[in-house]
Amino acid sequence: KKEFWIALALSMVFVSIGFVELCLHFVGADRSAIPAAAAAWVANMDSLLIYSMHLYFFLFVFILSSMAFGDALYLDATSGHIQHMLSRCSVRTYVMATALVAFAAGFLVVALPLALSQALSFLVFPASGEAWQFSGNLLSPLQDYTWIRSHAAQALFPDLLYEAPYAYNLVFI
């Protein structure tokens, strides 16, 4: 469906804008102040103050993910294709298959741009570094270093954050 491709393109645009905003935060920064690629991706929007991603995640992600195939059941019912489908399978099977396709398409609309963001982060930011380095806000004073370290320890999967930060990012995609 063309709606899927439109939703995917709009998600890519939002993530690209967020990535540009992320990169602009670190233009002219000291090399020691640049985060690792594990921390410097657009889904780490709170710590890195990426405001365009707040707009995407809190407003548009629901619209775009449901736009992909959310109306498939309705379109099949209004076009008359549902009778042909129901002659080959049960109503339960048809509804479950339609729901699965709608979920998968919505997931792809969100996951592919976030994976692109992580890939772009590898091009711009160093691959190694401390994953908890930017767990606090960019505006946090330096004396809050101990708070930032303890805040990272309270993450959803703290061991995964320390041992495999890129796998930690995949969990949130």
Side-chain angles (χ1 to χ4, degrees), residues 120-138:
L120 288 174
S121 292
F122 278 118
L123 294 175
V124 178
F125 298 100
S128 63
E130 298 296 336
W132 49 267
Q133 182 180 13
F134 282 87
S135 296
N137 197 307
L138 273 180

Side-chain angles (χ1 to χ4, degrees), residues 23 32 36 38 40 47 50 65 69 71 85 87 95 99 105 108 111 119 123 127 140 148 154:
C23 291
S32 62
S47 305
I50 308 172
S65 62
F69 276 95
D71 62 346
M85 298 301 275
S87 67
V95 170
L108 286 175
L123 294 175
S140 298
I148 291 171
Q154 296 172 4

